[in-house]
Amino acid sequence: MYAPAFTALLLQAAAQAAAPWAAVERTAPGGTRSIAASAYSADGSARLVVRCDRVSTPVVSIQFIPREQTRRFGVQPVSLQFDGGTPLVDNWEVMDVGLIEREDAAMTTLANGIAHARAIRLHSVASDDTAVDHAFPGPASDAPIRQVLAACGFTLGQVPQRAPVPAATPSPTP
């Protein structure tokens, strides 16, 4: 009696989970809350993510998570191209499972490009120096990217204005 309704709910949940660029909120075992919007590449072998981690100082990052292995340390160049425009190239940090850009100005530029693009191309290199090229769909609207940024208190297209770090107090000399 309840099977058709339950099956419909499961199918609806699966469709929402697979929807590209849908904002999804999660809480990690340590209590860190995050919200992310992502899309899989056309061939399904990589994911492009815009993510907000709500920690003491909120961090928004753009992440590239490929199936193929990335370099194990340091930085590597990543190029993103929106709707066939000029590629934006920057060095992204290498993390355990992929690459990440979290510097405020670069993240703002990339998030804005992703939010308004219909087609996104990414180019980088794998750990064996072979080319890595992926095509991602752009979001249907800028709403999910705005939602991710707002979760960290940021606004689409505006570089976050962070409070200056207080200067260290000099130690008294004896």
Side-chain angles (χ1 to χ4, degrees), residues 117-128:
R118 296 297 157 242
I120 303 164
R121 297 204 53 82
L122 182 142
H123 173 79
S124 191
V125 292
S127 59
D128 63 358

Side-chain angles (χ1 to χ4, degrees), residues 24-72:
V24 177
E25 190 165 349
R26 292 191 171 91
T27 302
T32 301
R33 291 177 43 198
S34 68
I35 184 169
S38 66
Y40 280 94
S41 60
D43 66 1
S45 67
R47 201 162 46 116
L48 186 61
V49 182
V50 178
R51 178 178 169 148
C52 160
D53 288 300
R54 291 183 263 190
V55 290
S56 58
T57 301
V59 176
V60 173
S61 61
I62 311 298
Q63 300 177 10
F64 169 60
I65 304 169
R67 265 197 214 140
E68 61 270 338
Q69 191 166 0
T70 58
R71 297 183 191 285
R72 297 189 189 277

Side-chain angles (χ1 to χ4, degrees), residues 7 14 18 27 97 105 118 164 173:
T7 303
T27 302
V97 295
R118 296 297 157 242
T173 51

Side-chain angles (χ1 to χ4, degrees), residues 9-29:
L9 285 174
L10 286 176
L11 291 173
Q12 181 182 7
Q16 288 174 344
W21 299 113
V24 177
E25 190 165 349
R26 292 191 171 91
T27 302

Side-chain angles (χ1 to χ4, degrees), residues 48-50 60-62 78-83 86-90 92 101-117 120 142 145 149 154-160:
L48 186 61
V49 182
V50 178
V60 173
S61 61
I62 311 298
V78 173
S79 165
L80 281 178
Q81 184 179 34
F82 305 110
D83 295 329
T86 302
L88 302 176
V89 183
D90 200 3
W92 290 27
E101 176 60 80
R102 57 184 165 187
E103 188 276 322
D104 285 344
M107 174 280 303
T108 300
T109 300
L110 297 176
N112 195 50
I114 291 168
H116 297 103
I120 303 164
D142 64 6
I145 307 305
L149 294 170
F154 299 169
T155 302
L156 182 63
Q158 295 180 12
V159 177

